[in-house]
Amino acid sequence: MPIEAIRDTLGPQALPWFAAAFLVLLGIACVEGLARSLLRPGSYDWRASAASFADALIRRGVDALGLSLVAPLFVLAWEHRLQTLEMSSPAAFVALFLGQDFLYYWYHRMAHRVRWFWASHTVHHSPNQLSLATALRLGWTGRLTGNGLFYVLLVWLGFPPLAVTAAVTLNLLYQFWVHAPWMPRLGPLEWVLNTPTHHKVHHASNPEYLDCNYGGVLIVFDRLFGTFVEYRPEIPIRYGLTRPLHSYNPLRIALHGWLELGRDLLRARGLRARLGVLVGPP
């Protein structure tokens, strides 16, 4: 596989595909907003959705610059891969799916437990109302700070970088619909899949619900590693951050985590304290 193809899939060449997907998802999110507004007038936060759409547009613009901390590491991992795994059998696709979802679980868990990654991920948890538009609010600093580092392992093991990138993208696309809190329970599928019921618990800021349900497509890794929390109807969910962010400014939303991190680094005394700020829990 040409090295240029690896760079392209992580840079500007992928932008038209991301733009088309964004427009489709934006349209679906708007339909949800209209439906919720008609059913309960005044209940839908259109300003929060507009901020999410703006965040996604800025993200697309940053992506167009082709800046990525991980792209060179993908290239390096592919050049020194242990083997070449051909995506020519169902077993290869199953292995990639399970491997990527497993690594997504650990990335997502670290994004909540390591301050450096949380500074980007906090953007996604900043809305005080959960909706499909929330799925589009991912911030635009992740590529610049290494959110994709967890997937370099798959490339080094021999999975083609294009296949790994496609698996990560499909995982995120799957998660779009789990941001619909109005969806009912899905019966036996709740034992295996990440569903809207599980994911609305993940977006809660209640103490009973913090730091749980990190799965992407599957919920089984949460069950295996002790981070699964069941939704309890007697505990109404409070969405957003533990210290709510009451702002609709896309720049404020995107950078508030980094500003707080910088402030705490300046206050810390000594190397050990500063490392604790960077890699300790939020």
Side-chain angles (χ1 to χ4, degrees), residues 32-169:
E32 182 210 32
L34 289 170
R36 290 173 68 170
S37 296
L38 288 173
L39 290 173
R40 292 183 59 191
S43 65
Y44 187 77
D45 192 343
W46 282 102
R47 294 180 69 190
S49 293
S52 296
F53 299 154
D55 175 84
L57 284 171
I58 295 173
R59 180 183 174 88
R60 299 283 74 80
V62 172
D63 289 349
L65 298 176
L67 302 176
S68 172
L69 178 66
V70 175
L73 297 179
F74 266 48
V75 173
L76 187 65
W78 182 249
E79 289 177 339
H80 298 279
R81 61 193 180 276
L82 296 179
Q83 58 188 319
T84 300
L85 298 171
E86 300 291 342
M87 304 304 296
S88 57
S89 69
F93 282 94
V94 171
L96 177 58
F97 165 71
L98 291 175
Q100 190 276 325
D101 208 60
F102 175 75
L103 292 174
Y104 175 84
Y105 167 84
W106 285 107
Y107 151 70
H108 200 181
R109 186 167 176 173
M110 292 303 101
H112 280 255
R113 303 305 302 159
V114 176
R115 185 78 176 276
W116 175 262
F117 293 117
W118 174 249
S120 289
H121 191 59
T122 185
V123 174
H124 183 59
H125 284 266
S126 60
N128 298 305
Q129 181 184 77
L130 185 63
S131 69
L132 291 175
T134 303
L136 302 176
R137 187 188 292 198
L138 299 174
W140 41 267
T141 61
R143 282 196 177 191
L144 306 177
T145 55
N147 284 2
L149 289 172
F150 291 81
Y151 307 115
V152 174
L153 175 63
L154 293 173
V155 178
W156 180 65
L157 289 174
F159 289 103
L162 296 179
V164 173
T165 304
V168 173
T169 302

Side-chain angles (χ1 to χ4, degrees), residues 183-204:
M183 287 284 291
R185 288 180 178 270
L186 301 179
L189 293 178
E190 301 279 345
W191 285 94
V192 180
L193 297 178
N194 182 24
T195 66
T197 300
H198 298 327
H199 201 65
K200 69 183 180 182
V201 171
H202 173 73
H203 272 270

